[in-house]
Amino acid sequence: LFSEGAKPPPLEYKRDTAYGQDGFITETQSEEMWGSKSPGAEYIMEVSLDEGWIRDEFCGDGRLRRLDEVLPQWMSEGRCTQELVQRKDGTWELRGDHRTAYVGLNDPDRNPAAMANDALFGQMCGNDERYAELDPRCNSLVMVPCARASPEDATKVEFSAIFFYPRRGWRWQGRQELTVGYWW
């Protein structure tokens, strides 16, 4: 996956509906697939709210918003379909198995985001202290969770997709590989 010198548009990391329930898998299924290296394991995506930014499709426009701008209101109105827990540091975590992990579609034409590699792959894992320092310098894309209307009730919101956005401040010059930190 490459850029030809221009900042790329956001790319959705689309799910493969052949897995689990409409493409979504449980945490246990994710661990079993990864542990056995079964087909699709290398395309597992877990929806995370760690960065504090979301793509807001629930309100209809798809713009980037700070999670803390919208989540308190959605929670007070009872709009969230997933269990969310606030950590001691103020960040939010999705809990449970309700549409929080999925297998990405391995098709470069329909899901080009799945072709993005991690520039640090093979050098270190995401739990290495240096990873957080090197990721912004080595990977041109960042993962952003997407808030969408629940398919069961359009008045409710869920975080059930990931988009890859161009990293702010990245120099988009010449042909370059699009890479994203997977934190594995």
Side-chain angles (χ1 to χ4, degrees):
L1 185 61
F2 289 87
S3 166
E4 300 299 334
K7 182 171 137 181
L11 299 169
E12 181 176 2
Y13 191 89
K14 297 177 183 171
R15 68 183 186 281
D16 187 337
T17 58
Y19 289 89
Q21 185 175 359
D22 193 33
F24 291 100
I25 58 175
T26 65
E27 184 176 340
T28 301
Q29 289 170 317
S30 173
E31 290 171 5
E32 288 172 358
M33 285 178 71
W34 187 250
S36 66
K37 301 295 184 226
S38 63
E42 65 274 17
Y43 295 99
I44 293 173
M45 177 61 70
E46 294 182 12
V47 180
S48 166
L49 304 177
D50 290 342
E51 298 304 318
W53 288 92
I54 63 164
R55 176 184 173 98
D56 184 3
E57 292 183 2
F58 180 63
C59 294
D61 58 8
R63 69 184 164 118
L64 286 176
R65 296 178 73 178
R66 296 277 319 156
L67 184 61
D68 56 12
E69 278 179 26
V70 294
L71 190 58
Q73 179 179 348
W74 291 343
M75 290 186 73
S76 72
E77 294 172 351
R79 293 194 182 273
C80 299
T81 63
Q82 296 153 309
E83 180 185 357
L84 292 128
V85 176
Q86 192 167 25
R87 298 180 186 123
K88 290 180 182 178
D89 66 1
T91 61
W92 291 89
E93 177 182 348
L94 286 169
R95 291 264 175 94
D97 283 333
H98 184 70
R99 300 168 67 86
T100 59
Y102 60 98
V103 177
L105 181 63
N106 182 10
D107 182 327
D109 294 324
R110 294 188 297 155
N111 188 25
M115 302 303 114
N117 295 310
D118 185 339
L120 298 172
F121 180 77
Q123 299 174 45
M124 65 187 68
C125 294
N127 59 4
D128 186 308
E129 291 177 11
R130 297 171 301 152
Y131 193 98
E133 176 188 334
L134 294 174
D135 174 56
R137 292 187 283 179
C138 298
N139 287 309
S140 58
L141 304 173
V142 296
M143 292 185 193
V144 177
C146 181
R148 290 184 168 149
S150 168
E152 290 92 25
D153 180 349
T155 68
K156 305 279 186 182
V157 64
E158 67 179 26
F159 300 96
S160 57
I162 293 288
F163 275 75
F164 293 174
Y165 271 80
R167 186 177 295 279
R168 183 181 213 161
W170 194 265
R171 298 187 71 193
W172 298 102
Q173 298 175 338
R175 180 177 168 87
Q176 59 184 285
E177 183 177 9
L178 298 178
T179 58
V180 65
Y182 285 101
W183 293 85
W184 292 347

